[in-house]
Amino acid sequence: MNRGQDLDSLIARAQGGDVRAFELLLAGHLSQVRRFARAFAGSDHDADDLAQEALLKVYKSIRLFKYQSAFSSWLYAVVRNAFLDFAKSRAGKERTKEDALDDQHGESAQGDPAADELIHREQEKQRLWRALRKVPVEYRSALVLFDLEGCTYDEVAAIENVPVGTVKSRLSRGRAALREILGESDDPAEGDENHAEAGTPGSTPSSHLPRRDS
Amino acid sequence: MSAQRDTERRPLGDRLRELRTDPPDDGFSLSLHKKLAEAGEPVEPSWWKRTLGPIFSQPRIAWPALGAATGLAVVAVLSFMRAPAPPPAPMPIAAVEFPATKVAMVRVNLSAEVAVASAQIRISLPQGLSFWADGQELAQGSFEWSQPLSAGANEIPVAVRGHKPGRYRMTVSAVIDGRPIEEEVLLEVVDG
């Protein structure tokens, strides 16, 4: 049985209510979905709850999957919609108090440069996550899928159900918004990155796995 | 602060990629498994979601496959009110024009003042028009199904293709609490 047939079999079984088959379908995607959720949840603490709610929606609606796209594209499209709905429902409510975006430079207890660097890196990551959560939702998922997760333009376009040109536009605006939130000016080094692959035909998307940078 | 300036000089993409680390499971899989087990079976989609959902949910893929026209808007509106009212005679609402080479997505809006537990809905096409789904023409000239209606708008997308130029009437009817309601949607197929 080849890989495609394995996937088809798992999908059919999951559509029949086989939870184990559904979990096997998710196996290669859980970390990515959890990271994706982290960009939309009110806090790191809530991210896993949000991810699970989205995956429940995927399971409940799996009978709607009719091979209209690659399974992974459909999966992330449903998950993304769940995150957008959550973000909209939060928009009108008082936001959960989050940590301030200001740097929280701690001090290494022993003044160890290597430890300092590790602490700084970790703080930077937390700062980036908090900033990502403030990027307008219409640009945020493109940023996460492309820049963070390494999906191709075509994969992001399939997930977001828009043309590649719209994906590029969302990325450009999302990056600009993120830099503004971080309080950083435009980085000349980003110019090439923003226009990378412009005019380049999209690569053949993989059916089930996102692009991974080497 | 020099470490911060060094960070800001690194391209944003590189910094975002560094966020791609796998979180520890910490009971996530077990918790998810419990929720899935308690969720019951996947939901059986309604007729129109089953037949037309793939088109409606993935128009970027479906439009090229169907050669669908763009710019078609909601046309038919069936209004249901609790107060008794004589059923209106069917009146064509508005002409929607699309070329014979394209598939039109007509969005039928069943507008209800109050929620309805179950409405029997029927959409019929005359000779010369066909329903379209999943990239192919459907043999049936009409579809009938039951579904609940929410208070407010209930939008049903219907993909239709005309075989030759002409004016056609699509009939949309609903039976709610035993009361029939019917409207006609005027569709005009043109050359092109």
Side-chain angles (χ1 to χ4, degrees):
Chain A
M1 208 187 222
N2 63 34
R3 189 162 172 265
Q5 288 171 325
D6 286 342
L7 182 67
D8 292 346
S9 169
L10 284 176
I11 290 170
R13 283 168 51 199
Q15 288 176 329
D18 185 337
V19 168
R20 181 65 187 139
F22 181 70
E23 287 169 328
L24 287 171
L25 281 174
L26 293 183
H29 302 287
L30 275 186
S31 293
Q32 192 164 345
V33 171
R34 291 173 73 189
R35 283 193 296 267
F36 201 178
R38 198 169 170 186
F40 286 86
S43 64
D44 289 352
H45 176 74
D46 297 332
D48 277 352
D49 285 342
L50 181 58
Q52 290 184 354
E53 286 308 307
L55 291 170
L56 265 177
K57 287 187 179 178
V58 173
Y59 175 69
K60 294 296 274 185
S61 62
I62 196 165
R63 287 178 183 172
L64 274 175
F65 177 68
K66 304 278 186 194
Y67 294 88
Q68 57 269 46
S69 65
F71 178 75
S72 61
S73 297
W74 179 82
L75 163 70
Y76 289 112
V78 175
V79 160
R80 175 181 174 269
N81 286 338
F83 295 160
L84 291 181
D85 288 344
F86 174 77
K88 283 175 197 166
S89 71
R90 283 187 73 230
K93 297 177 189 170
E94 190 177 345
R95 289 182 177 273
T96 307
K97 204 159 183 156
E98 294 185 42
D99 294 334
L101 196 55
D102 295 339
D103 291 322
Q104 297 169 350
H105 289 291
E107 292 181 12
S108 164
Q110 291 83 27
D112 177 357
D116 277 345
E117 176 63 19
L118 277 175
I119 290 170
H120 171 73
R121 287 272 183 176
E122 191 52 38
Q123 287 173 340
E124 167 62 13
K125 288 180 184 178
Q126 297 303 322
R127 186 168 169 266
L128 264 177
W129 278 117
R130 289 194 297 271
L132 260 177
R133 290 190 198 113
K134 295 178 192 294
V135 170
V137 292
E138 55 268 33
Y139 312 136
R140 197 184 309 171
S141 78
L143 266 187
V144 172
L145 291 170
F146 188 87
D147 279 334
L148 204 161
E149 295 296 341
C151 294
T152 64
Y153 285 126
D154 282 343
E155 286 166 339
V156 179
I159 291 166
E160 301 207 346
N161 205 17
V162 294
V164 167
T166 303
V167 172
K168 292 180 178 177
S169 170
R170 288 178 179 178
L171 281 170
S172 176
R173 294 181 187 189
R175 289 166 184 151
L178 185 58
R179 276 192 289 272
E180 189 177 335
I181 293 163
L182 290 168
E184 297 170 10
S185 55
D186 280 354
D187 185 343
E190 296 278 343
D192 292 339
E193 188 180 278
N194 280 338
H195 296 290
E197 302 182 54
T200 305
S203 59
T204 303
S206 62
S207 293
H208 308 299
L209 295 173
R211 169 174 70 91
R212 295 286 180 205
D213 295 325
S214 56
Chain B
M1 289 301 287
S2 64
Q4 181 62 25
R5 295 305 308 165
D6 287 342
T7 296
E8 290 179 16
R9 275 195 279 269
R10 291 169 53 220
L12 194 54
D14 290 351
R15 291 153 67 190
L16 286 171
R17 271 189 289 280
E18 286 181 0
L19 298 182
R20 193 198 305 163
T21 55
D22 291 349
D25 188 271
D26 283 347
F28 181 89
S29 300
L30 181 61
S31 174
L32 177 62
H33 176 81
K34 284 181 185 170
K35 289 180 181 176
L36 290 170
E38 288 165 5
E41 296 234 329
V43 174
E44 191 62 45
S46 61
W47 166 80
W48 69 269
K49 270 192 177 171
R50 227 174 26 246
T51 308
L52 303 170
I55 299 169
F56 191 49
S57 64
Q58 296 284 344
R60 194 188 71 85
I61 295 170
W63 293 122
L66 300 176
T70 57
L72 292 181
V74 173
V75 177
V77 176
L78 299 187
S79 293
F80 175 69
M81 296 178 289
R82 282 292 180 206
M91 288 183 60
I93 295 182
V96 177
E97 193 178 290
F98 59 99
T101 53
K102 306 283 187 187
V103 174
M105 187 64 77
V106 181
R107 300 182 191 276
V108 176
N109 181 10
L110 304 181
S111 172
E113 279 211 349
V114 296
V116 175
S118 179
Q120 199 164 345
I121 301 163
R122 183 184 178 92
I123 299 182
S124 303
L125 294 178
Q127 288 271 7
L129 292 181
S130 302
F131 289 108
W132 203 267
D134 278 345
Q136 56 189 357
E137 190 173 333
L138 302 181
Q140 298 94 316
S142 67
F143 283 95
E144 187 170 341
W145 72 99
S146 297
Q147 70 168 78
L149 297 178
S150 309
N154 296 269
E155 197 171 276
I156 301 172
V158 183
V160 175
R161 184 165 184 177
H163 298 242
K164 61 180 182 181
R167 289 195 143 201
Y168 304 88
R169 291 166 189 254
M170 178 173 82
T171 307
V172 182
S173 57
V175 178
I176 302 169
D177 285 354
R179 288 170 48 199
I181 306 169
E182 190 173 282
E183 296 284 2
E184 287 183 336
V185 179
L186 195 59
L187 302 175
E188 184 161 359
V189 179
V190 298
D191 278 322

